Amino acid sequence: APPPFPPRLRRSPHATDAATTYAGLVAVAKRVSINGLVLLSAADFDYRLLILNWIMHAHALGHSNAVVLAMDAELAAEMQARRIPVFDDSANRDAWNATCLQRHIQAVRMERHLAAGALVSAGYDVLLADATAVLVKPVLPFLRSQPGNIDLFFQRDDWPIDAVRRMGCAVNAGFVYMRAARGEQVAALVRDMVSRGLIEFYLRWNNIVDQYGWSLTLSESAGMQLDAPEKGNNTAIGLVTRKGCQKDNSCLTAAFLPFDLFPRHAPSWASVGATALVHHLTFQCPEDQAPCGRPEDGVRVFRGNRQRLDRYDETDFDDQVAALRAAGAWMVDRDPAYKAPF
């Protein structure tokens, strides 16, 4: 009889070790960081144009400290040819093949957070963003104006519902700002988030395993029982009270970003674009009504859970590009051969 398959890991395949696993990424950050800050986004070769668009927006705002976390060697080579700072993280992504995350996108979403955690533990502030979370206006003046005791900032979302019941909203894992003042503790929380996400039943059909991890980790903390509705326009601040941190005053502080500056769900870009600093929109509707929304309104179509991965691959890229183009946020058309000027 053939040997049995080894059990799939329900833990991270590696830690947030800045000195070993992520030494190459830390070296890139050391080269390009500005005032201790790195902008980070992950992609693979299939999403090369989306990550190029994200980079072009970052560069237009003067962020030469934007780094691409390449999830395959092909994208790393593409970014290098364009003189864009990049770290080839494909070996670390491949390590996820031994875990219960069997979809490439699930592994990518978790791996990027471990990479960000490693940078924070190495002393760098990190703005981690989806490749589709493009900066359309300067975000740093707002972020740096916020109280210095806040360790993590999150965009608001409406799922998972258990987190919404406890906090008023959930975490969107595709736009997170991590400060390095207590970097080791932030990195430890990232690792806990990954562990929490890996035990969720819903990851069997849902790609947003990191969103489950963050939302449930925070909402299960007594200090994060907030009244922070998804469309609230304040900075909602809570205390991540976990593992006895109150005894030694080491609890981390987390905050939800204002909706008007960092919107996630809206019927159109025109309805939020006057105040939004970031374009990171998807249409909002119940699962049983999906697909819903129109790209021509500048909002990505919501297509529901991804049981049909062939449809996901065939439609998602076109949806994203069409929505960004309609919102005036697709820069690739202006210079398809773009190379970093820095």
Side-chain angles (χ1 to χ4, degrees), residues 19-219:
T20 57
T21 308
Y22 295 101
L25 177 60
V26 172
V28 175
K30 183 177 181 180
R31 188 176 77 245
V32 305
S33 64
I34 299 175
N35 296 323
L37 172 68
V38 172
L39 280 62
L40 187 68
S41 187
D44 57 22
F45 189 74
D46 287 347
Y47 267 36
R48 61 194 178 279
L49 294 182
L50 284 169
I51 196 65
L52 178 62
N53 185 64
W54 182 83
I55 280 285
M56 292 175 74
H57 275 274
H59 287 180
L61 293 171
H63 293 300
S64 60
N65 54 342
V67 176
V68 174
L69 193 68
M71 294 297 174
D72 53 33
E74 293 82 0
L75 181 66
E78 172 80 9
M79 295 295 101
Q80 288 166 356
R82 293 179 181 271
R83 300 196 297 263
I84 293 168
V86 62
F87 173 65
D88 183 349
D89 199 39
S90 57
N92 290 331
R93 198 239 66 90
D94 290 348
W96 287 89
N97 292 338
T99 75
C100 58
L101 299 186
Q102 291 304 288
R103 294 184 186 178
H104 173 73
I105 185 63
Q106 292 176 326
V108 167
R109 290 182 69 110
M110 283 303 207
E111 172 57 28
R112 62 181 178 167
H113 286 281
L114 291 183
L119 287 177
V120 171
S121 71
Y124 296 97
D125 294 345
V126 178
L127 178 57
L128 176 66
D130 283 346
T132 53
V134 297
L135 308 182
V136 295
K137 297 171 189 169
V139 298
L140 291 187
F142 173 81
L143 292 176
R144 287 178 168 162
S145 72
Q146 299 306 293
N149 67 317
I150 301 176
D151 300 291
L152 302 107
F153 296 80
F154 300 95
Q155 187 179 31
R156 306 181 192 215
D157 212 310
D158 68 344
W159 190 263
I161 195 63
D162 282 352
V164 175
R165 292 191 184 104
R166 296 174 183 143
M167 300 189 296
C169 66
V171 168
N172 185 283
F175 196 87
V176 181
Y177 179 47
M178 306 178 186
R179 284 174 168 163
R182 294 196 284 179
E184 290 291 348
Q185 292 158 275
V186 171
L189 184 63
V190 169
R191 295 192 297 272
D192 288 347
M193 175 279 292
V194 169
S195 297
R196 184 64 180 86
L198 282 169
I199 64 172
E200 269 307 301
F201 169 80
Y202 295 101
L203 64 83
R204 285 176 170 81
W205 66 77
N206 203 314
N207 287 335
I208 55 172
V209 59
D210 53 344
Q211 188 152 318
Y212 277 96
W214 273 123
S215 297
L216 297 175
T217 296
L218 295 185
S219 67

Side-chain angles (χ1 to χ4, degrees), residues 210-255:
D210 53 344
Q211 188 152 318
Y212 277 96
W214 273 123
S215 297
L216 297 175
T217 296
L218 295 185
S219 67
E220 290 163 2
S221 167
M224 292 297 295
Q225 307 305 297
L226 305 173
D227 180 16
E230 183 198 350
K231 296 186 178 178
N233 291 332
N234 64 321
T235 301
I237 304 172
L239 201 63
V240 187
T241 48
R242 306 179 74 241
K243 296 183 178 178
C245 64
Q246 290 170 302
K247 295 180 180 178
D248 58 3
N249 199 31
S250 63
C251 300
L252 295 173
T253 300

Side-chain angles (χ1 to χ4, degrees), residues 159 205-206 284-292 302-307:
W159 190 263
W205 66 77
N206 203 314
Q284 187 177 39
C285 73
E287 183 75 30
D288 60 1
Q289 295 179 18
C292 51
F302 175 66
R303 296 191 176 275
N305 289 327
R306 309 301 200 178
Q307 290 95 336

Side-chain angles (χ1 to χ4, degrees), residues 270-337:
S271 67
V272 295
T275 58
L277 306 181
V278 174
H279 184 291
H280 192 210
L281 288 182
T282 191
F283 201 85
Q284 187 177 39
C285 73
E287 183 75 30
D288 60 1
Q289 295 179 18
C292 51
R294 305 188 313 158
E296 54 264 39
D297 293 325
V299 180
R300 183 180 70 86
V301 173
F302 175 66
R303 296 191 176 275
N305 289 327
R306 309 301 200 178
Q307 290 95 336
R308 285 289 302 269
L309 293 185
D310 57 338
R311 292 178 181 173
Y312 174 69
D313 293 338
E314 290 168 2
T315 61
D316 224 49
F317 178 81
D318 290 342
D319 284 350
Q320 294 281 14
V321 173
L324 288 164
R325 186 176 279 130
W330 184 250
M331 298 184 72
V332 176
D333 290 341
R334 304 178 195 178
D335 187 3

